[in-house]
Amino acid sequence: MSGKLVDNDDYPRQDIDVYAVRFARNRIICLQNDHKALMKLIEDGIHDVHTAARNKRDSENSSQQTSSEQIQDLQMAFLQVNELSPLSPAENAGLRVGDEIIRFGSLNIENFDNMQSVANVVQHSMGQSIPIIIRRGEHIHHLNLIPNIWHGRGLLGCNIAPIHKR
């Protein structure tokens, strides 16, 4: 990149293609400038992402300072397992008859409208894990349910029904 292209008498060197070397040097310099510009854009983007994450975390921290009543509402079950088929995806996930569902994927007591919303979550999660939070007696359990086709009816192999609606 910095070697001389002329000899001691200031004539072009005969052992190299001066035009090709100058062209290659120019191309490398242009690419280096493009690289610097892209790295600057990436750096600015990273700063923006971290600023947004910090703002989100700060807003979540302020919203987490909720009353104990709101926290209690989020622990309320809205679905209950009424039936469970043997060897079904629901049984494989660890569900039992009588389990009360506090959270089913993105659904909880706050945003649950009807059983169609549960069906939508199941249909869109076929073959993928749905995180669920259940209450079994006095204990809270976190399970992963994978809706899938099996030898029985439906994708879950259980019957769930609403138990509480706001």
Side-chain angles (χ1 to χ4, degrees), residues 90-109:
E91 185 184 62
N92 292 339
L95 280 175
R96 295 184 191 160
V97 172
D99 285 348
E100 296 178 345
I101 299 174
I102 296 169
R103 185 169 200 81
F104 190 88
S106 60
L107 298 175
N108 60 35
I109 195 163

Side-chain angles (χ1 to χ4, degrees), residues 85 88-89 122-123 126 147-158:
S85 299
S88 65
V122 171
Q123 287 293 327
M126 186 169 157
N148 228 332
I149 297 172
W150 62 294
H151 67 25
R153 281 188 39 215
L155 296 175
L156 300 179
C158 69

Side-chain angles (χ1 to χ4, degrees), residues 73-90:
D73 280 351
L74 293 177
Q75 293 297 319
M76 290 181 65
F78 65 103
L79 297 171
Q80 184 172 27
V81 179
N82 294 337
E83 293 179 35
L84 187 67
S85 299
L87 303 175
S88 65

Side-chain angles (χ1 to χ4, degrees), residues 31-133:
L31 290 173
Q32 287 174 336
N33 289 338
D34 291 347
H35 181 260
K36 285 179 188 176
L38 281 174
M39 292 305 291
K40 178 68 175 145
L41 285 172
I42 291 170
E43 181 181 352
D44 293 342
I46 289 173
H47 285 295
D48 292 344
V49 166
H50 284 285
T51 301
R54 186 180 318 109
N55 292 341
K56 181 179 178 186
R57 186 186 66 233
D58 292 345
S59 69
E60 285 176 356
N61 286 343
S62 66
S63 69
Q64 284 181 353
Q65 298 169 353
T66 59
S67 68
S68 61
E69 184 178 299
Q70 289 172 319
I71 292 171
Q72 188 67 15
D73 280 351
L74 293 177
Q75 293 297 319
M76 290 181 65
F78 65 103
L79 297 171
Q80 184 172 27
V81 179
N82 294 337
E83 293 179 35
L84 187 67
S85 299
L87 303 175
S88 65
E91 185 184 62
N92 292 339
L95 280 175
R96 295 184 191 160
V97 172
D99 285 348
E100 296 178 345
I101 299 174
I102 296 169
R103 185 169 200 81
F104 190 88
S106 60
L107 298 175
N108 60 35
I109 195 163
E110 297 289 323
N111 61 7
F112 173 71
D113 292 325
N114 54 37
M115 291 304 291
Q116 184 59 44
S117 54
V118 175
N120 289 340
V121 170
V122 171
Q123 287 293 327
H124 289 97
S125 301
M126 186 169 157
Q128 300 173 358
S129 179
I130 299 174
I132 58 175
I133 301 173

